[in-house]
Each structure stands twice: as C-alpha cells, then as structure tokens.
Amino acid sequence: MAAMTSHPATLFSISTGSPEPIYRQLIDQLRRLIAAGQLAPGDVLPSVRDVAQTLALNPMTVSKSYNMLETEGLLQRSRGIGMLVASHRGRARPAGERERLLRPTLARAAQEARQLELDPAAALALFKKILEEDL
Amino acid sequence: MNASVVNIAAVSKSFGAQPVLDGVDWNIAAGKVVGLLGRNGAGKSTLLECTLGLREVDAGGVTLFGDPVARLSDATRARIGYVPQKPELFEWLTPIQLLAYFQAQYPRWNAAKVDGLLTRWGFSGNMRRKPVGIMSVGEKQRLSIIRALAHDPDLLILDEPVASLDPAGRRDFLRELIDDVIERDTTVIFSTHILSDLERVALDVAFLKDGKIALQSPLDELLESARRITGPSAALSALRFADEIRREPGAAGIVSILARPSVTEMAALGAEGSRLQVEALSLEDLFVEVTK
C-alpha cells in the first residue's frame, strides 16, 4: 500500500472582506483542489486545529467546512487519522441521500421555470441538455 | 453548554441629557465568540462597562454566570478577563511587578502561559524591568492582554483590544485567542473596528445602534442572506420583505433596500429581471448599511 500523503494547513488561503463567508471559501478551495487532482483519494487533510492556528481562524469555521464536505461524500472521516479525501467520489453516499442534496437547487429552478411560464417538458429538456453538456 | 453567560435585560444609561443605551437586551451563550459592532460614539464601551458592573445603569439589569453584576461573588469575578480600550495599568510598576500584583488577586493563575506570552510578545530581558509608564501604547496594550488572559478566564471582554497593535501583533493576539477558544471554550465579546480580525474569530456579530442591539446574527448566515436591492421606486415600492433591515429613498427615484430575502422572495426578485440590482455584501458594506 502506498504511503499516505498528508497536506499542510498552508494548502488553504482565505481572504477577509469578501461577501463570501470564510467557511465557503474553504469548501470551494477543497472542491477545486480535488477536481484538479492536487488532492487525491486517500490524502490526509490538515487537522482543524492546524488550519485554525495557521490561518488564524475560529476552529468552528474550519470544522463547518469539513463537516459539510463529509456530508456531501467528498471527504471521509477516518478514526485515528482524521479527514481524508473520499476514495469513491459520490459513491460514498447512497443515491437517495445524494438526491436529497440536489433537491433544494432543483426546487429553486422549478420555481423560476414556473415564473418564466416554461412548460415542464421544455424545462426538463433544458436540464437534460445541460447535464449532457458537462460530459 | 447553552446556559447564558451574559444576560443583559432592558439596560438603559444616559450621560446627562444624552441617552447612550436605550433598553439593551442581549444574551450570550457559553462558548460564543461575538463581535460587537457600532459607529464611534454608539456606546460600545459604555455597554461593555455596564456589562462588567464598572458603570451603574439607570435601568435594567445584568447577570454574569447567573450572578447579578452588582454583587459578583469572588469565584465569578475570577472567571472574567477584561481588556479595556485604554490600558489601565499601574504606571510605576514593571511588567513583572504588575503581574505579581494581579497574580495575588486570583486563585487560578497560569504562570507558564504568562511567561510564554511575555517572551513571545517582546517582554524579555530589560523590557521586564521597564516601568509601564515609559512603554509605548502598543506595549501597554500587549501587557494588558497578557494580564487579561493570565488567569484563564471563562469570559473575555475585549474593548478595541488591538487598536494600537501592528498587523503582526494583531495576528499573534488572534492566535492566542483561538488557542483559548480551542482549549477551554472561552466565551468572548470582542468590540473592534478591524473587521478582518472579527471575520476570522467571531461566529456571531451584534450591531449597536441608537442605544439598542439593532441586529444580531451568526456572521456566515448574515453574509449569505443579506442583499442590497437597488432599483426604481416604481418597482420597489410594492415589494415588501419579511426580514427588511432598512429602506432608503435615493436620488432620482431610486430606492435602496437592505434585507434578508427568503428563498421565495429571492425568486420573486429574479423574476423582476434587470430592472433591479441585487448584491451580496461584505461585512464592511454591511457595517455601513446597518449603522446608517
């Protein structure tokens, strides 16, 4: 088994004075780092305490980001090691739960579709097209 | 853990004919780190001094850890740390003498922490024997912070604690505060105009305006929900938000609204299309808008 890669807290950088809350900035950075492959499945994230100390942040802010990404299945908690990048993106959570995560976004889209008086078939066709564009 | 550490009920305070606090209600639960914001002269220092029982209130009451502030037990008193806006230290004493004096007043005193802070914050060698009176304002402020942290308080009240410190000194102070919060779940009330510091450590913010807490919210939720909506009054006069903070008529029939729209209200705004400008705000913008 390959040795685990651990990342230092300097992985993150945040900016104050932004309309975007700091916990969101941390989440977005992690998503990007994982998407770009700079963080690989099984990599160990710096501890909440390390990040809080290095970036001078309230530890609750850091744990909020980690917990939200764990709920999403992007991170995985491992006893005695800490937070890891999940090995099987998306497969970590059952489909029902992943659908539940998507529901609020779709509910908003549905509301806007009704306000724009788009008929359901047209809205669904558009969504299908967008889904396929990303492949 | 959710018992309230600070309970302020209907506190009013005037200086002569000038009302400063006008029925302030404010509750702070254990382990919270709250930023107190307000314009110069809004009464932040007065509110913090009333909270500590350093000023008599005209009406209302304050309890700390359940004790009425006018009759704090010695045990409760020992759980509180305070950094005043202007360091009030005995000017003729050296740092070592000063800290020894305070050490004698407290049953709990973290000597290792004090020694570490003195060394890291520039009080080594000759500085330890320099009278406080001839120190710079920044040095006095650092010493005042060390004194307030020395007895491992459960409640820390900080009134512009870092106004005289440079950015590196402020960062050192924030790290120390974060250590305290991590290690001991300290409850902190932090008044400052340095909003970047507040964003790093405060989970909640409270705005003092017109003698009252005008707005109190978890900071993340406030940033995520507050929007400035600008547009012609013809489009906006009929729009009402359940959580509207202020509404201001501007020049040329343009209206500006600060609100926290619900999901439904957001969708309604989206349907208005390009007639309206809807912006998310930074804490600095929010400060300007809320304290107008």
Side-chain angles (χ1 to χ4, degrees), chain A residues 17 23 49 53-55 58, chain B residues 175 179 183 200-201 224:
Chain A
Y23 88 93
R49 197 195 173 88
Q53 276 293 346
T54 306
L55 277 71
N58 192 311
Chain B
R175 293 222 163 85
D179 252 355
E183 298 295 337
R200 289 173 182 279
V201 296
E224 284 177 335

Side-chain angles (χ1 to χ4, degrees), chain B residues 115-136:
Chain B
D115 196 58
L117 283 174
L118 284 172
T119 305
R120 276 180 287 144
W121 289 10
F123 296 96
S124 40
N126 283 337
M127 273 301 288
R128 295 196 182 196
R129 292 185 294 276
K130 182 172 166 183
V132 171
I134 57 172
M135 287 182 180
S136 74

Side-chain angles (χ1 to χ4, degrees), chain B residues 63-76:
Chain B
T63 64
L64 300 178
F65 299 102
D67 275 10
V69 77
R71 300 187 300 278
L72 286 186
S73 66
D74 288 347
T76 299

